[in-house]
């Protein structure tokens, strides 16, 4: 099955990673249309030895397109997503626009690929911090139901896109040079700082990023009872999110058992040997496909508690790779049409 693919947001941090991954995994596509804003129209990007010209994304861009990966922000998805679907295109959307809609599958291929078959033209990629947490927890959940999750995130600036990477570099240099720090992308300076504030605050005092982890976990695990207690924090790291995760399970999972379950799982790599100072960090994991887990230990907070440290490349498994895996699944199972 050869498909015509469009990439909306092809000049962005996630879009560029999608192109890299399509190439690395040799995904079989018939044609690729690169779309972005008017600002980028006419730029060229090399893909598989060919110079492709970026076009402005408009409703008509999706004529004769089988699948479009959207990575241009929620407002663009809300406008152009339905236009693409109207033209018979399946949309794999990286934004928050449709994730919690009941008839839109929210998919992590290692966890709930079955949901893809129910799509009606729209499929959502979950939030990056949710993806890496659930990829690490699914093998444990399959052994014993997880009742509660406590998570603190340490999220990199590439999660906010190319402008945020530039801001971290510029403000870091300004701070070293003793110059004034004038943040534009974030509400406070991110250089040499940490911000307990991702996305907008909600009436309940949590941020939207935190509530994405709460709600998306329930939808993906198909478990309305699971409790997630999140604190999401932005840190001055270019790429890869880290998470301190503690779970309470119904049945005890010893650290040794957890390591064995995670070792056997797809998409997870155990990097855990404190005697040798082996544990994952963002610099170890950048550019890798797997979600890395270390510091696995018995927790204090409940009878059956287990704590761990989870690191994933937010641009890859947190966004681009997950979208490409959904595409590969649809090609393999021939479930593009609905
Ligand atoms: N970064 C991550 O780790 C991550 C993880 C999960 C999900 N996401 C989601 O992915 C999306 C993109 O994130 P990003 O990090 O790649 O952002 P980014 O680096 O800022 O890139 C944004 C892209 O959207 C394009 N765009 C902007 N306005 C547009 C318009 N009016 N029409 C068409 N295209 C337009 C931009 O094109 P121009 O170059 O022409 O402006 C650019 O290609 C967001 O929804 C984000 O929440 C990101």
């Amino acid at each position: 099955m050869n498909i015509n693919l469009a990439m909306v947001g092809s000049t962005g941090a996630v879009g560029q990673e999608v192109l890299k991954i399509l190439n690395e995994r040799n995904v079989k596509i018939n044609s690729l249309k690169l779309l972005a804003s008017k600002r980028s129209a006419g730029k060229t990007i090399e893909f598989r030895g060919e110079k492709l010209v970026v076009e402005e994304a408009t409703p008509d861009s999706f004529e004769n397109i089988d699948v479009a990966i959207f990575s241009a922000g929620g407002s663009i998805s809300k406008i152009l997503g339905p236009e693409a679907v109207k033209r018979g295109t399946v949309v794999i959307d990286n934004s928050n626009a449709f994730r919690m809609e009941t008839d839109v599958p929210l998919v992590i291929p290692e966890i709930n690929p079955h949901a893809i078959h129910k799509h009606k033209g729209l499929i959502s990629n979950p939030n990056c911090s949710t993806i890496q947490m659930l990829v690490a927890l699914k093998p444990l959940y399959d052994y014993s139901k997880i009742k509660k999750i406590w998570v603190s995130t340490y999220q990199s600036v590439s999660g906010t896109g190319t402008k945020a990477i530039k801001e971290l570099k510029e403000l870091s240099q300004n701070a070293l040079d003793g110059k004034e720090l004038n943040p534009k992308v974030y509400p406070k300076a991110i250089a040499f700082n940490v911000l307990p504030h991702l996305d907008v605050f909600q009436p309940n005092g949590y941020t939207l990023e935190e509530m994405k982890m709460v709600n998306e976990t329930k939808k993906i695990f198909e478990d309305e009872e699971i409790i997630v207690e999140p604190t999401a924090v932005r840190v001055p790291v270019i790429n890869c999110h880290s998470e301190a995760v503690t779970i309470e399970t119904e049945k005890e999972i010893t650290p040794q058992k957890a390591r064995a379950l995670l070792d056997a799982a797809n998409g997870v790599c155990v990097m855990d040997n404190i005697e040798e100072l082996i544990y994952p960090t963002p610099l170890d994991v950048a550019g890798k496909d797997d979600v890395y887990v270390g510091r696995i230990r018995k927790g204090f907070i409940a009878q059956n508690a287990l704590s761990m440290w989870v690191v994933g490349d937010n641009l890859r498994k947190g966004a681009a790779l997950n979208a490409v895996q959904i595409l590969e699944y649809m090609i393999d199972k021939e479930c593009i049409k609905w």
Side-chain angles (χ1 to χ4, degrees):
M1 184 178 199
N2 261 345
I3 61 143
N4 297 323
L5 180 70
M7 177 69 233
V8 185
S10 54
T11 54
V14 174
Q16 287 290 299
E17 204 65 34
V18 168
L19 302 188
K20 219 194 280 175
I21 294 170
L22 287 171
N23 220 1
E24 285 168 10
R25 296 170 75 97
N26 203 17
V27 179
K28 293 209 169 16
I29 48 178
N30 192 35
S31 69
L32 175 63
K33 188 184 263 194
L34 301 183
L35 300 169
S37 78
K38 206 192 255 180
R39 294 178 291 276
S40 301
K43 276 188 188 165
T44 57
I45 294 178
E46 199 164 305
F47 181 75
R48 294 183 179 165
E50 249 187 276
K51 277 201 170 135
L52 301 181
V53 180
V54 178
E55 297 171 38
E56 181 188 358
T58 67
D60 289 336
S61 305
F62 303 98
E63 295 291 349
N64 299 318
I65 296 294
D66 301 299
V67 181
I69 298 178
F70 272 62
S71 225
S75 54
I76 308 301
S77 295
K78 277 187 188 149
I79 298 165
L80 290 180
E83 293 291 343
V85 174
K86 229 191 268 174
R87 288 163 175 79
T89 306
V90 178
V91 170
I92 303 172
D93 184 38
N94 260 306
S95 81
N96 189 34
F98 312 109
R99 286 182 189 146
M100 295 315 295
E101 290 189 10
T102 42
D103 58 354
V104 177
L106 182 63
V107 178
I108 302 175
E110 290 87 345
I111 300 179
N112 60 340
H114 55 272
I116 295 174
H117 294 273
K118 295 185 194 142
H119 81 81
K120 297 190 172 80
L122 280 171
I123 298 170
S124 279
N125 230 27
N127 172 253
C128 42
S129 37
T130 309
I131 292 180
Q132 69 178 67
M133 179 173 82
L134 298 194
V135 167
L137 293 185
K138 172 68 173 159
L140 307 177
Y141 191 107
D142 286 344
Y143 179 78
S144 166
K145 188 175 156 91
I146 296 172
K147 295 199 288 191
K148 292 181 187 163
I149 304 170
W150 293 263
V151 56
S152 292
T153 70
Y154 304 73
Q155 295 183 229
S156 71
V157 297
S158 65
T160 320
T162 47
K163 283 190 194 130
I165 299 174
K166 196 164 164 254
E167 176 150 306
L168 172 59
K169 289 180 180 171
E170 281 177 6
L171 294 193
S172 300
Q173 192 57 55
N174 287 353
L176 290 170
D177 294 345
K179 290 188 189 154
E180 210 178 317
L181 305 180
N182 292 315
K184 293 190 190 80
V185 175
Y186 295 117
K188 294 182 188 236
I190 185 65
F192 300 98
N193 208 1
V194 295
L195 311 180
H197 175 188
L198 276 86
D199 217 321
V200 290
F201 281 104
Q202 303 296 290
N204 64 3
Y206 286 79
T207 61
L208 183 55
E209 183 79 0
E210 290 160 353
M211 292 313 296
K212 288 175 200 166
M213 297 186 82
V214 171
N215 297 324
E216 293 179 20
T217 296
K218 291 178 196 284
K219 181 164 175 175
I220 295 161
F221 275 171
E222 298 169 7
D223 180 352
E224 280 304 310
E225 288 174 0
I226 193 163
I227 294 169
V228 181
E229 178 64 68
T231 304
V233 181
R234 185 75 67 192
V235 295
V237 165
I238 298 273
N239 193 27
C240 288
H241 295 345
S242 306
E243 298 177 342
V245 181
T246 297
I247 56 172
E248 182 188 0
T249 50
E250 264 180 14
K251 209 162 65 169
E252 186 186 11
I253 308 179
T254 63
Q256 193 188 12
K257 181 72 187 171
R259 278 183 209 106
L261 291 167
L262 294 172
D263 253 336
N266 271 342
V268 185
C269 180
V270 177
M271 193 174 173
D272 190 19
N273 182 347
I274 48 172
E275 283 80 28
E276 306 274 340
L277 305 186
I278 290 172
Y279 47 79
T281 69
L283 290 182
D284 298 314
V285 175
K288 306 265 171 43
D289 286 348
D290 282 348
V291 169
Y292 282 64
V293 186
R295 301 280 327 271
I296 301 169
R297 60 207 190 272
K298 186 166 171 53
F300 295 124
I301 204 162
Q303 177 73 27
N304 294 329
L306 190 74
S307 289
M308 68 206 79
W309 175 248
V310 178
V311 185
D313 185 326
N314 52 285
L315 289 177
R316 288 181 79 88
K317 186 57 191 167
L321 175 63
N322 199 72
V324 172
Q325 287 172 318
I326 294 172
L327 172 68
E328 287 175 328
Y329 182 93
M330 288 198 299
I331 295 172
D332 185 44
K333 303 282 183 228
E334 300 198 359
C335 60
I336 289 175
K337 296 289 167 220
W338 70 97

